[in-house]
Amino acid sequence: MAESFRLHIVTPEGEILDEPVVEVTAPGINGEFGVLPQHAHFMTALGVGELHYRGESGSEGSIAVAGGFAEVTPEGVSVLAQTAEDAEKIDTARAEAAHRRAEQHLETAKDSAEVERASLALERSMTRLRVAQARGVKSGRTQIETEEKPIPGE
């Protein structure tokens, strides 16, 4: 059996995951980072993206995360995320509706603050849809639209 460490993920709503794993990759604000057993200690802010992990038995899981912090120690990874949603639990209809709303808000944004909020909402919804699709969760769409759209006013 491979050496493992603890992955603990919590949000303001509660605990999402607490289990032994052998590998984690997560979206830091400066890019993706990977963690293996006995990793050096560090802390980082999280961006928006997919947190992927591999359990002791070889099973894999994915969680869509947005914002928060991760602390890595030789004993484990603790994630305090603003939002985190397991791929299996993503409501794709809700994520698709959020994607459409974010696109509409981006098109009608009147100032830079509205553009920033709409852009973040669009990124979160696209991440949720990508994570769900990559893990085989059924979606009403056959393909997720991820094309770059111009930002109004630029």
Side-chain angles (χ1 to χ4, degrees), residues 24-34 49-52:
V24 172
T25 57
I29 58 167
N30 294 318
E32 186 176 83
F33 64 91
E50 177 180 6
L51 183 147
H52 182 264

Side-chain angles (χ1 to χ4, degrees), residues 50-52 60-64 87-88 90 92 126-139 141-144:
E50 177 180 6
L51 183 147
H52 182 264
E60 297 187 15
S62 289
I63 297 175
E88 303 298 321
I90 293 174
T92 56
M126 287 171 41
T127 295
R128 291 175 66 225
L129 288 167
R130 273 195 306 268
V131 168
Q133 187 176 53
R135 301 296 160 222
V137 177
K138 299 287 186 217
S139 172
R141 294 184 182 185
T142 55
Q143 183 178 4
I144 297 171

Side-chain angles (χ1 to χ4, degrees), residues 13-144:
E13 284 77 39
E15 185 175 86
I16 303 297
L17 182 77
D18 186 11
E19 67 180 61
V21 298
V22 296
E23 181 180 1
V24 172
T25 57
I29 58 167
N30 294 318
E32 186 176 83
F33 64 91
V35 180
L36 295 172
Q38 298 302 314
H39 198 287
H41 185 271
F42 76 93
M43 261 187 110
T44 186
L46 293 173
V48 176
E50 177 180 6
L51 183 147
H52 182 264
Y53 62 92
R54 189 162 42 99
E56 288 180 308
S57 67
S59 63
E60 297 187 15
S62 289
I63 297 175
V65 297
F69 296 92
E71 180 181 25
V72 177
T73 68
E75 295 78 34
V77 178
S78 295
V79 173
L80 296 109
Q82 290 175 348
T83 64
E85 195 169 4
D86 187 289
E88 303 298 321
K89 296 178 182 171
I90 293 174
D91 180 339
T92 56
R94 198 176 113 233
E96 288 169 351
H99 187 261
R100 286 189 299 274
R101 281 191 311 275
E103 286 178 326
Q104 291 168 350
H105 286 128
L106 191 56
E107 290 172 6
T108 60
K110 294 178 176 54
D111 59 37
S112 61
E114 287 183 14
V115 168
E116 180 68 21
R117 277 193 300 274
S119 295
L120 287 171
L122 185 61
E123 185 178 10
R124 284 190 305 269
S125 67
M126 287 171 41
T127 295
R128 291 175 66 225
L129 288 167
R130 273 195 306 268
V131 168
Q133 187 176 53
R135 301 296 160 222
V137 177
K138 299 287 186 217
S139 172
R141 294 184 182 185
T142 55
Q143 183 178 4
I144 297 171

